[in-house]
Amino acid sequence: MTDIMQKITLGILGLGTVGGGTVNVLQRNTEKISGRTGVEIHIKSALVRSLNSERICDCSGIQMTTDHLDIVNDPEIDIIVELIGGDTLAKECLEIAIANGKHVVTANKALIAKYGNELFAKAEANNVSIAYEASVAGGISIIKALREGMSGNEIEFIAGIINGTGNFILTEMLEKGRDFSDVLAEAQALGYAEADPTFDVEGIDAAHKLAILAAIGFGMPIDFESVYTQGISGLALEDLKYAQELGYRIKHLGVAKRTENGIELRVHPTLIPEKRLIANVNGVMNAVLVRGDAVGNTLHYGAGAGAEPTASAIVSDIVDVVRRISSGNHSASAVPHLGVAAELLQTQKIVTVSEFSCGFYLRLTVNDEPGVMAQVTQIFAEKNISIEAIIQKEPTDEQKIVQIILLTEECREKLLDECIQEIQSLSAIQAPAVKIRVEHLS
Ligand code: NDP
Ligand code: HSE
């Protein structure tokens, strides 16, 4: 680095998994990064909760503090990198930083999903930008791809495995027969899970991310509250196995789809044909399938969580902001926060769950007696829903209870729920039906 090189100063809020990974990448690749930006990036200070905790990075030369105001009010700091998580202190920090004219880089999808619309407006009013690539799908540059690379397309749908913890759990359960809570504990130890892991297993984290992607893809304000959200905690290993027998994989999928009735926004376990690439995305890896009218299908794949994959996205955002500052264009991003100027974003009608349209997997637990299969198929026939596949498993105990597994063609969810209601009233039915949505993604 030369003496005349411009210096840009960072303050990092949070030095845990992602904060520590970010310091490591910035320190290890310092020459390369300054070669690419022509700027020396200096980490001045970092916020932590506990000054004495062990860190995964070398903190020598970094001023450590437990008072966020030391950083967000520091006039020497140009960029605030927010990696504490949550939506209280993090929000306050961003608001102060923005008011002080500082650019922000964040990995905080909970914050962006809930308060992105207002925070982006504040940033634009103060001529600074909020960069948030790491908030969706860890190390995959999906925001850049969607917002910039696909800006010439009308987006038809986005379907993604966008929670690394959930995908890690499903993979380990199916491939190694491991217990759900045991794998979750490992995901926490590896730094993949959220501070509150129910965000991962109940689908909330994926819903945050889907809301962000849908806003960019469909040019609408972020609408997290409208995302239909179902997690993986209720999934049974037997359904993962039956799906495999039928030539499918169950993945926790976020789907944002343009339909004639409006936009479907939903995250839930989903059967996907095993021949699709995305069905074979395993472990902590994420993948996002985006279909644009011009480009067709694009699949974006990479590590969805973890220290350095996420740091890769954070550092890429830092580089973008550094380039903007060093070019003298301090003003708001040339690329609008959601890819469309705020005043041109259009609120969209969001489709309710009963109007969702997809295929369905049903597992019925019934008495092994003659005529049950005929009764079930009759109910579907009356609603004009075709059954694409059906299997009946041998009774496993003396009570002669059998499992019937069937796959339907695409139909309205309301119609399917009416069938289930009728089926549940049959005397042979022994347990509530298990319903899982199917997406062919063809
Ligand atoms: P960690 O829990 O590992 O780290 C959080 C850091 O913030 C810690 O250093 C903690 O201090 C500090 N911190 C938290 N609360 C306070 C507070 N009130 N005052 C001062 N310091 C505080 O979280 P992650 O690094 O995993 O996640 C950070 C953000 O990145 C979250 O928004 C998360 O959703 C997001 N993210 C995480 C990914 C991952 O793979 N982990 C991937 C993509 C995004 P101390 O260390 O002293 O406790
Ligand atoms: N907890 C999140 C996940 C971190 O497992 O995907 C990455 O956003």
Side-chain angles (χ1 to χ4, degrees):
M1 263 170 268
T2 66
D3 289 344
I4 50 153
M5 199 175 252
Q6 185 186 357
K7 185 160 102 176
I8 287 180
T9 302
L10 309 184
I12 301 190
L13 308 176
L15 274 191
T17 301
V18 183
T22 299
V23 171
N24 283 334
V25 172
L26 282 170
Q27 288 177 345
R28 190 174 69 239
N29 295 337
T30 186
E31 296 287 335
K32 282 197 172 58
I33 294 165
S34 56
R36 286 171 186 151
T37 56
V39 167
E40 179 194 341
I41 297 172
H42 168 62
I43 306 171
K44 181 176 179 188
S45 49
L47 174 76
V48 291
R49 215 167 4 206
S50 150
L51 291 170
N52 300 320
S53 291
E54 222 177 283
R55 304 279 157 206
I56 60 168
C57 59
D58 176 4
C59 300
S60 49
I62 301 176
Q63 294 170 21
M64 307 287 278
T65 176
T66 56
D67 184 352
H68 60 289
L69 297 176
D70 289 346
I71 299 182
V72 291
N73 282 332
D74 182 342
E76 286 183 5
I77 289 177
D78 305 292
I79 305 173
I80 295 293
V81 183
E82 185 278 306
L83 301 169
I84 49 181
D87 57 20
T88 46
L89 178 63
K91 182 166 185 267
E92 183 192 330
C93 288
L94 259 67
E95 286 171 338
I96 301 172
I98 290 166
N100 285 335
K102 300 182 193 306
H103 297 273
V104 173
V105 173
T106 180
N108 193 335
K109 52 273 168 139
L111 182 67
I112 298 298
K114 282 175 77 176
Y115 300 111
N117 297 322
E118 73 177 76
L119 289 169
F120 293 156
K122 284 183 177 155
E124 282 159 25
N126 283 277
N127 285 332
V128 293
S129 53
I130 300 173
Y132 57 100
E133 182 64 70
S135 68
V136 182
I140 309 175
S141 297
I142 186 61
I143 289 174
K144 194 164 259 194
L146 200 53
R147 200 171 58 176
E148 299 172 45
M150 298 184 74
S151 58
N153 287 259
E154 165 140 273
I155 302 302
E156 295 173 3
F157 74 78
I158 300 166
I161 296 170
I162 45 181
N163 182 266
T165 301
N167 203 38
F168 180 65
I169 293 173
L170 293 184
T171 305
E172 292 287 308
M173 280 174 69
L174 181 64
E175 289 186 357
K176 301 182 189 155
R178 290 179 63 191
D179 181 60
F180 185 101
S181 49
D182 173 39
V183 192
L184 174 58
E186 189 183 346
Q188 290 178 284
L190 290 166
Y192 300 158
E194 294 303 298
D196 175 355
T198 59
F199 277 46
D200 296 288
V201 298
E202 299 306 342
I204 302 159
D205 178 72
H208 288 146
K209 294 165 176 168
L210 188 75
I212 295 169
L213 291 180
I216 301 170
F218 300 127
M220 59 193 243
I222 301 172
D223 187 1
F224 164 65
E225 297 300 332
S226 295
V227 182
Y228 169 84
T229 305
Q230 186 189 345
I232 59 166
S233 62
L235 270 182
L237 181 58
E238 59 191 316
D239 292 309
L240 298 180
K241 289 183 173 163
Y242 290 148
Q244 193 172 26
E245 235 178 274
L246 287 160
Y248 290 75
R249 294 282 183 281
I250 296 183
K251 293 292 177 187
H252 189 255
L253 208 65
V255 178
K257 198 194 283 185
R258 193 188 290 282
T259 74
E260 57 193 19
N261 300 320
I263 304 285
E264 289 188 6
L265 286 181
R266 45 191 171 93
V267 303
H268 48 71
T270 311
L271 272 81
I272 307 170
E274 68 188 2
K275 62 185 176 212
R276 301 270 171 259
L277 282 175
I278 196 168
N280 297 286
V281 170
N282 291 320
V284 75
M285 304 310 276
N286 280 191
V288 186
L289 177 61
V290 185
R291 183 186 292 169
D293 67 337
V295 70
N297 285 351
T298 61
L299 185 66
H300 310 257
Y301 171 81
E308 293 214 359
T310 312
S312 165
I314 291 287
V315 174
S316 144
D317 272 349
I318 293 170
V319 165
D320 273 356
V321 177
V322 161
R323 285 182 173 139
R324 190 166 312 135
I325 297 172
S326 67
S327 72
N329 176 12
H330 228 289
S331 64
S333 168
V335 183
H337 285 104
L338 292 173
V340 174
E343 64 278 13
L344 297 178
L345 292 169
Q346 290 188 339
T347 303
Q348 304 280 343
K349 177 176 178 264
I350 307 300
V351 177
T352 56
V353 59
S354 62
E355 294 304 312
F356 288 168
S357 189
C358 58
F360 292 91
Y361 162 106
L362 284 189
R363 174 163 58 85
L364 308 173
T365 305
V366 306
N367 286 334
D368 185 20
E369 58 189 42
V372 182
M373 190 79 99
Q375 287 176 310
V376 169
T377 53
Q378 177 66 23
I379 290 171
F380 281 98
E382 280 165 10
K383 301 271 182 214
N384 221 6
I385 299 175
S386 299
I387 295 172
E388 288 189 338
I390 190 157
I391 49 177
Q392 179 174 332
K393 307 308 284 185
E394 292 294 307
T396 50
D397 55 27
E398 287 174 0
Q399 290 172 324
K400 301 276 185 199
I401 301 288
V402 295
Q403 307 277 328
I404 296 176
I405 295 103
L406 53 88
L407 291 179
T408 75
E409 65 164 5
E410 183 170 330
C411 66
R412 287 255 176 271
E413 184 136 356
K414 185 167 177 269
L415 217 51
L416 194 277
D417 286 344
E418 287 169 7
C419 285
I420 294 178
Q421 217 177 347
E422 279 189 49
I423 290 168
Q424 289 301 139
S425 67
L426 298 175
S427 59
I429 295 291
Q430 292 299 308
V434 172
K435 172 181 89 175
I436 306 176
R437 297 175 185 85
V438 180
E439 287 289 345
H440 288 97
L441 303 176
S442 50

